Amino acid sequence: MKSLFFRFPVAKHEYCNRLTSACFLATSFSILPEAYALSTSTPVKEPEATPLLEEMTIIGEQLPANQVTPDALPGFVSVIPRAEFEGKLASLPDVLKKQTSIQVRETGGLGSLSFIYLRGSSSQQVSVYLDGVLLNNIVTGLVDLSRISLSQVQSIEIYRGAPPVQFGQSVIGGAINITTIHNDHENSGEVSLGYGSFGRQKADLSLNYSLDRLLIKGAFGYQSSDNDFKLTNDNLTELNSNDDKNQKRNNAAVEMLNGLFALDYAVTDQQQIKFGIQHYSKNQEIPDRGNTVDNNATLDSSLTQLNLNYIDKQFDFANYTVGFVYARNKDHYVDIQGRVGIGIQNETSVTDSFGIAVNANRRISNHLLAVMTEWRYDDYLNKQETFTQGQQHFSRHSLLLSLQDEMDFMENRGLLQLGIRFQDLQDKGDQPVTENDGFMKNHENYFSWQSGVRVDLTDWLTVKSNLSRGTRVPRLSEKFGDRGLFKGNPDLVAEEAINADLGFQATFSHNNLGDLSLGTAYFQRWLDNAIVTTYDSQGVGKYENISAAVIRGIELEARYDPAHWLALNSRTTIQDTKNTSNITVQKGKNLAGNHELAQYLSLLFTYDCYSAQVEYEHESGGFYDNTEAVPIPVRDQINLTLKWNAAPQGRTRLTLEVKNITDENFEAFNGYPNPGRHFLASVLQRF
């Protein structure tokens, strides 16, 4: 596909690119006060309806020190409320892939391995949080999104670019924060049942109980699917259609359980103690690309997370929180036949994580100062049961310090945000089967910064711009190797990126024409020291800092409500990713796995207690590989959702979903098929 951007030469030195970026942002910052003066010099008619954008003013708001107000930030943030997915049989990847600049790579079907890509960044360059606790594995850097059940999710926050310092970690691509459901101060409950094609089943139960100052929340969920949808098997001979066969997918069943228990005790009106335990488990069969009948590879995984937080908001000028977290990730992967991946494997890996974090903020005049410090210890143990390769044992001590200043200006219509992050890491590794036999250790420091500005030029127009430097710390397998299949490189340095973006949000309201909201953003990233894998003549890989890239794109969002019974949504992402390294076969080529164009359209009709939503999803352009030899096929999908809510309180809801109405045959990712047309039905009852 021909690039949707005009080509221009890449500067010889990255410093030139960064200087250009800094000038670009500085110029945009400097013109905002002038634009504001011009916008207010002529009277503007006030909208007759409440604007869709919330007011930015946050002076006097006493949020807990470890929480933020996403809508008030200068960054480009999206918040997906529970109402968008409640009662549906959708998964977390299903919901995320409909947002701008987000791609999800998965192996097809419910519960399949799913990893997020944001603004052209890899999944290792995107931090994923559960209630503010980092989930990225210290060894792989990945997070399997399919393991998190939506039945326990209250909202999903998407931070494009640098997130607030309350999240601690520096990032290159952005961050996702998943917040779990909380007690709404009512004694209530909810049960949901669902059934669908390919043996899909779902059952969820949640209960709230309030007792004076104590709030109790409990939830349990179950999902399963055979994932035996029809596919066309090309027998791994893509260019020869004579041996193609129509089959059902083999060895792809999945079963998932999740549970949550939470206590919220109000010591006083300004002091709280919060305790929570979350558990997610998934047992799945892993299909191979040849769809062989006798393949029996499996992956059993679980995540258990415990949180304890003390929140103090009793001071008018400052508040703070102290939090403790413990998490355990466990995976057991078995592929005795060696049909999937890189050979015969039977391994168990366990990661134990401990952390203590302190957040505090204080308002001084028109400045809101925030500080976050976190100590975290991660311990990883991998045992290979099949051969005599022994075990891998890695550990990481991390100390984070983040500072941020938010300054209000222009009579509280403007917000300037400046932040810095410092991270101290001590890594240790014991890898018995490599050329570096024995014990290894490494000690590094990392520094990053961010800046952003937001100005409400009028009551209906907001302008934002951001400039930041982010890092991606090498994962432990890159430093210390992987059972002799990959050589470790303790000398690796962090990936670095300069991120810049500029855009606006506008809302209009008219009694006869309805409500309209528009948003757009241009983003660009200069990536240095990217870590790639090189291979020797024996096929053993080694990680090296030898790649670089420039990623740029445009995000467009629009929502139009011409009447109370009709809503139209549109989201479009256009991006161009170019490898600027000195690797001959890759220089000037697209980065692997990134679409050039992604579009999402939806029409929502409502009448009384009935609603119908039609969705269209499109992805095109890009290549599966870094040499542009294997193009990514075009994906077009149409979905239909029908709902009925019982009046008047709407305590009963029936939902029918039809996915991929036109029964298109396309890949979820390279070589992995996606289901054709399928049906999902569910009922939700509140009490």
Side-chain angles (χ1 to χ4, degrees):
M1 177 179 176
K2 194 172 182 179
S3 175
L4 296 167
F5 285 89
F6 293 106
R7 303 291 182 187
F8 56 85
V10 177
K12 183 176 181 180
H13 300 289
E14 290 301 321
Y15 174 76
C16 297
N17 280 331
R18 295 175 181 178
L19 182 60
T20 301
S21 172
C23 294
F24 161 71
L25 267 297
T27 302
S28 66
F29 287 3
S30 65
I31 66 172
L32 289 177
E34 302 293 336
Y36 171 70
L38 290 173
S39 67
T40 56
S41 61
T42 302
V44 178
K45 183 179 180 181
E46 294 290 333
E48 297 180 9
T50 303
L52 295 177
L53 288 178
E54 296 185 9
E55 289 189 18
M56 189 197 66
T57 305
I58 57 173
I59 291 180
E61 186 173 356
Q62 283 291 308
L63 281 176
N66 62 343
Q67 295 182 16
V68 298
T69 305
D71 291 337
L73 298 173
F76 291 89
V77 186
S78 298
V79 180
I80 308 172
R82 182 172 177 82
E84 287 199 18
F85 50 80
E86 186 180 34
K88 294 184 178 180
L89 268 68
S91 65
L92 179 59
D94 291 336
V95 174
L96 284 172
K97 69 174 63 173
K98 298 175 184 179
Q99 306 300 311
T100 54
S101 290
I102 286 186
Q103 291 179 226
V104 177
R105 294 186 184 179
E106 49 192 342
T107 53
L110 174 68
S112 64
L113 296 173
S114 304
F115 307 109
I116 190 171
Y117 286 65
L118 178 57
R119 281 189 170 179
S121 61
S122 70
S123 54
Q124 295 164 343
Q125 296 168 345
V126 180
S127 293
V128 180
Y129 295 86
L130 179 63
D131 288 329
V133 178
L134 186 68
L135 295 181
N136 294 64
N137 189 286
I138 61 168
V139 177
T140 65
L142 302 173
V143 178
D144 179 11
L145 299 174
S146 67
R147 190 164 59 179
I148 307 299
S149 171
L150 286 176
S151 64
Q152 295 183 10
V153 174
Q154 182 70 31
S155 65
I156 306 165
E157 302 165 0
I158 304 168
Y159 297 88
R160 299 170 179 86
V165 298
Q166 284 84 350
F167 292 102
Q169 292 282 342
S170 175
V171 297
I172 287 179
I176 307 294
N177 184 40
I178 304 161
T179 63
T180 54
I181 51 180
H182 53 264
N183 193 314
D184 55 7
H185 297 268
E186 292 184 0
N187 293 330
S188 60
E190 182 179 291
V191 61
S192 176
L193 300 173
Y195 187 80
S197 303
F198 320 124
R200 185 166 180 175
Q201 302 177 63
K202 176 184 176 182
D204 295 303
L205 173 67
S206 64
L207 297 170
N208 292 319
Y209 183 72
S210 299
L211 181 64
D212 194 18
R213 291 182 175 273
L214 179 64
L215 305 178
I216 304 173
K217 178 75 179 185
F220 172 81
Y222 169 83
Q223 283 197 81
S224 67
S225 176
D226 297 330
N227 282 328
D228 56 348
F229 49 85
K230 294 180 180 179
L231 57 85
T232 300
N233 185 357
D234 63 6
N235 282 304
L236 303 180
T237 57
E238 184 178 355
L239 300 179
N240 179 17
S241 60
N242 293 325
D243 60 354
D244 291 358
K245 297 179 181 179
N246 293 322
Q247 300 176 334
K248 285 190 175 182
R249 200 179 198 196
N250 297 311
N251 199 58
V254 64
E255 187 174 52
M256 297 184 288
L257 291 171
N258 63 84
L260 177 148
F261 178 75
L263 299 174
D264 187 341
Y265 178 68
V267 181
T268 68
D269 292 341
Q270 299 297 321
Q271 296 171 296
Q272 290 177 283
I273 296 175
K274 292 188 175 184
F275 172 79
I277 298 178
Q278 298 138 342
H279 178 78
Y280 303 89
S281 66
K282 181 173 71 169
N283 301 326
Q284 64 182 130
E285 300 171 341
I286 307 297
D288 59 16
R289 294 186 61 182
N291 196 44
T292 55
V293 177
D294 58 346
N295 169 39
N296 55 16
T298 60
L299 173 62
D300 299 335
S301 61
S302 65
L303 165 65
T304 302
Q305 182 170 297
L306 180 150
N307 293 277
L308 179 63
N309 290 280
Y310 172 73
I311 300 170
D312 196 322
K313 301 185 293 181
Q314 62 181 321
F315 304 108
D316 293 336
F317 59 89
N319 65 78
Y320 67 93
T321 65
V322 179
F324 169 79
V325 62
Y326 166 73
R328 165 166 281 207
N329 276 279
K330 186 175 181 179
D331 297 295
H332 184 204
Y333 176 54
V334 180
D335 183 14
I336 300 300
Q337 301 162 303
R339 297 283 179 81
V340 182
I342 52 180
I344 297 175
Q345 295 192 62
N346 181 5
E347 64 178 38
T348 301
S349 62
V350 177
T351 303
D352 289 302
S353 303
F354 305 85
I356 299 175
V358 178
N359 286 267
N361 59 43
R362 178 176 182 177
R363 179 163 292 280
I364 302 177
S365 183
N366 63 330
H367 294 264
L368 180 62
L369 305 178
V371 59
M372 182 270 191
T373 181
E374 178 190 61
W375 170 84
R376 178 166 172 147
Y377 173 73
D378 296 280
D379 184 87
Y380 171 83
L381 179 63
N382 177 283
K383 292 183 179 180
Q384 177 62 254
E385 310 290 347
T386 305
F387 300 111
T388 59
Q389 292 175 307
Q391 66 181 30
Q392 294 175 294
H393 187 199
F394 302 145
S395 66
R396 168 170 285 175
H397 287 267
S398 172
L399 181 63
L400 278 166
L401 176 63
S402 304
L403 303 172
Q404 181 175 280
D405 178 23
E406 293 183 355
M407 182 184 72
D408 303 315
F409 61 96
M410 291 169 54
E411 300 178 350
N412 297 330
R413 299 185 72 92
L415 179 70
L416 175 64
Q417 184 186 79
L418 303 172
I420 59 173
R421 288 179 168 90
F422 173 81
Q423 186 175 19
D424 180 89
L425 288 182
Q426 296 185 51
D427 295 332
K428 298 178 182 179
D430 186 7
Q431 171 60 291
V433 186
T434 65
E435 61 180 17
N436 300 316
D437 287 348
F439 179 78
M440 295 177 289
K441 62 181 180 180
N442 190 261
H443 187 187
E444 298 288 346
N445 297 319
Y446 302 97
F447 175 78
S448 60
W449 52 265
Q450 64 191 71
S451 61
V453 64
R454 168 182 172 146
V455 176
D456 290 339
L457 294 178
T458 69
D459 290 332
W460 54 269
L461 178 62
T462 298
V463 178
K464 299 180 178 183
S465 190
N466 300 270
L467 180 66
S468 64
R469 176 189 183 271
T471 60
R472 199 275 285 181
V473 175
R475 63 185 191 266
L476 293 182
S477 61
E478 293 170 332
K479 284 189 171 184
F480 302 130
D482 186 6
R483 297 182 305 279
L485 302 170
F486 297 91
K487 296 179 182 178
N489 185 356
D491 297 325
L492 284 176
V493 298
E495 295 180 333
E496 302 176 359
I498 296 294
N499 287 295
D501 57 33
L502 173 65
F504 72 87
Q505 293 175 321
T507 61
F508 310 90
S509 183
H510 191 278
N511 284 339
N512 297 323
L513 300 179
D515 300 326
L516 173 66
S517 64
L518 301 171
T520 185
Y522 172 81
F523 64 89
Q524 186 152 335
R525 178 184 306 120
W526 295 267
L527 176 65
D528 284 337
N529 296 324
I531 300 172
V532 298
T533 309
T534 60
Y535 294 88
D536 61 20
S537 58
Q538 297 180 336
V540 178
K542 182 178 181 179
Y543 302 101
E544 297 183 278
N545 292 106
I546 59 174
S547 188
V550 174
I551 299 103
R552 59 185 184 269
I554 297 174
E555 299 162 345
L556 303 166
E557 294 193 30
R559 178 185 172 95
Y560 180 44
D561 297 77
H564 69 277
W565 53 269
L566 178 63
L568 297 87
N569 265 295
S570 172
R571 303 186 187 110
T572 301
T573 304
I574 306 170
Q575 66 181 14
D576 181 51
T577 63
K578 281 293 171 286
N579 190 315
T580 58
S581 68
N582 292 320
I583 305 175
T584 305
V585 296
Q586 298 180 9
K587 187 173 183 178
K589 303 292 181 64
N590 288 324
L591 298 182
N594 288 285
H595 294 289
E596 293 182 352
L597 175 65
Q599 292 177 301
Y600 170 80
L601 302 172
S602 75
L603 278 77
L604 175 63
F605 303 89
T606 58
Y607 175 73
D608 194 20
C609 55
Y610 302 93
S611 69
Q613 183 179 34
V614 180
E615 299 173 303
Y616 169 70
E617 301 173 21
H618 170 85
E619 292 177 332
S620 60
F623 298 85
Y624 281 131
D625 64 320
N626 285 317
T627 61
E628 297 187 355
V630 185
I632 302 175
V634 175
R635 182 178 78 91
D636 290 295
Q637 180 171 319
I638 299 175
N639 308 317
L640 173 65
T641 302
L642 303 175
K643 287 184 181 180
W644 173 76
N645 288 281
Q649 290 84 13
R651 290 185 175 272
T652 303
R653 175 185 298 170
L654 301 179
T655 304
L656 175 64
E657 302 170 69
V658 186
K659 302 290 188 181
N660 195 2
I661 292 177
T662 56
D663 200 23
E664 299 294 326
N665 183 15
F666 56 84
E667 293 179 330
F669 191 63
N670 191 12
Y672 292 97
N674 217 49
R677 180 171 51 244
H678 53 290
F679 301 85
L680 308 166
S682 61
V683 56
L684 182 147
Q685 178 66 52
R686 297 186 178 92
F687 52 88

